Amino acid sequence: AQTVTQSQPEMSVQEAETVTLSCTYDTSESDYYLFWYKQPPSRQMILVIRQEAYKQQNATENRFSVNFQKAAKSFSLKISDSQLGDAAMYFCAYRSATGNQFYFGTGTSLTVIP
Amino acid sequence: DAGVIQSPRHEVTEMGQEVTLRCKPISGHDYLFWYRQTMMRGLELLIYFNNNVPIDDSGMPEDRFSAKMPNASFSTLKIQPSEPRDSAVYFCASSAGRGRGGYTFGSGTRLTVV
C-alpha cells in the first residue's frame, strides 16, 4: 500500500504570515492524485486543493498553493496571508489513478497566532 | 446540495449494545466510503461501495462490523456488539466516479462506547 508521511505533527504561524506544510509519499505509480484536506474543530473534512500528477503546473486556490515535486515525491501546502480561520488539522492524501482508496497522512495541526 | 449527511452526530452507548450509524450520500454520487478516525491509527478505510455494491471490505476490523447500502441514497454501518475500543469518529464520504475530484465527507459521528 502507498504511504503518506507528514513529518510535522504541529505547526504555528503568525496571522497574515505564510506557512508551508510538508508531505511526502511513496509510490511506484506514475499517475495519481494528491489532495490536501482541512479538518477544523467542527470535525468536518474539507477539501482544500488537489493536484494531478501528470500536470506539471502547481495547483493554486486563492491563498492556498502547492509545491509538487514528482521526482522527490513531495507535495507541500503553502498558506499565504494566514487567517485565524485557517487553524485546523491538515491532512495530505494520495489516490492512485487506477484505484479507489485514499491514503491519508497522520495530519499536521496548524495554530494561527493573532 | 445538502452534502453528505450523517446521523447521529454523537452516540454514547454501553459496551455490548448494537450501534447503527447512518449516511446519506450526495445525490448522483456512485461511490460511498466509510472511514474511521482515531488518534492512534488516523483515518482508516473500512469499506466502500460502488453503485450500492460493496467492493472492498478488507478494512472492516471484525465480524462485529457490518455495512449495507440498500439504495443509492442510504447506507448504514452497524457494530454489534460494541466494545470500548470501537470509540472513534466514523466518517462517511461519497464521490462521483472514483474520487478524482476528491471525496466529499460528512461531518462524522463521534461514537463513545463505555
Side-chain angles (χ1 to χ4, degrees):
Chain A
Q2 281 74 14
T3 56
V4 178
T5 301
Q6 293 180 249
S7 59
Q8 305 154 316
E10 298 178 346
M11 291 282 286
S12 62
V13 62
Q14 290 284 141
E15 194 175 2
E17 296 296 309
T18 296
V19 64
T20 299
L21 309 184
S22 301
C23 173
T24 59
Y25 55 94
D26 183 26
T27 184
S28 59
E29 299 173 326
S30 59
D31 196 11
Y32 48 87
Y33 304 96
L34 296 165
F35 305 85
W36 279 97
Y37 278 87
K38 170 185 177 182
Q39 187 179 37
S42 67
R43 203 168 71 205
Q44 181 78 47
M45 293 281 284
I46 303 164
L47 178 64
V48 175
I49 198 166
R50 61 184 284 267
Q51 175 79 42
E52 293 155 316
Y54 63 85
K55 290 187 176 179
Q56 292 187 339
Q57 186 172 6
N58 289 322
T60 299
E61 290 287 342
N62 300 315
R63 298 182 295 107
F64 298 87
S65 61
V66 299
N67 183 3
F68 173 48
Q69 302 289 327
K70 191 173 184 178
K73 298 178 184 177
S74 171
F75 182 61
S76 61
L77 174 70
K78 185 171 81 171
I79 306 173
S80 303
D81 186 24
S82 297
Q83 301 176 358
L84 295 177
D86 296 333
M89 184 74 83
Y90 286 82
F91 292 94
C92 177
Y94 168 102
R95 185 180 85 70
S96 164
T98 57
N100 297 300
Q101 182 175 351
F102 277 46
Y103 295 91
F104 287 89
T106 52
T108 297
S109 178
L110 178 66
T111 299
V112 180
I113 303 167
Chain B
D1 188 348
V4 176
I5 300 173
Q6 289 187 249
S7 64
R9 184 160 173 79
H10 303 278
E11 176 79 31
V12 180
T13 190
E14 292 185 346
M15 182 174 62
Q17 296 298 305
E18 177 180 295
V19 176
T20 300
L21 311 181
R22 297 173 175 80
C23 175
K24 175 179 169 56
I26 290 175
S27 177
H29 281 191
D30 55 345
Y31 281 84
L32 184 139
F33 305 81
W34 282 100
Y35 276 83
R36 177 171 68 175
Q37 184 180 34
T38 61
M39 288 294 293
M40 291 294 294
R41 301 172 70 92
L43 281 153
E44 302 173 278
L45 177 65
L46 299 177
I47 185 170
Y48 76 89
F49 296 82
N50 177 217
N51 291 323
N52 314 338
V53 176
I55 302 300
D56 184 352
D57 65 354
S58 60
M60 296 286 262
E62 300 170 32
D63 291 344
R64 299 184 294 106
F65 286 70
S66 62
K68 294 182 179 180
M69 193 166 185
N71 57 61
S73 59
F74 185 65
S75 177
T76 60
L77 178 67
K78 185 176 294 186
I79 308 172
Q80 165 64 18
S82 57
E83 296 182 4
R85 59 195 169 115
D86 301 330
S87 297
V89 178
Y90 291 81
F91 284 102
C92 175
S94 69
S95 68
R98 289 149 79 195
R100 174 181 175 179
Y103 295 160
T104 300
F105 281 83
S107 55
T109 295
R110 180 177 293 281
L111 173 65
T112 302
V113 183
V114 297

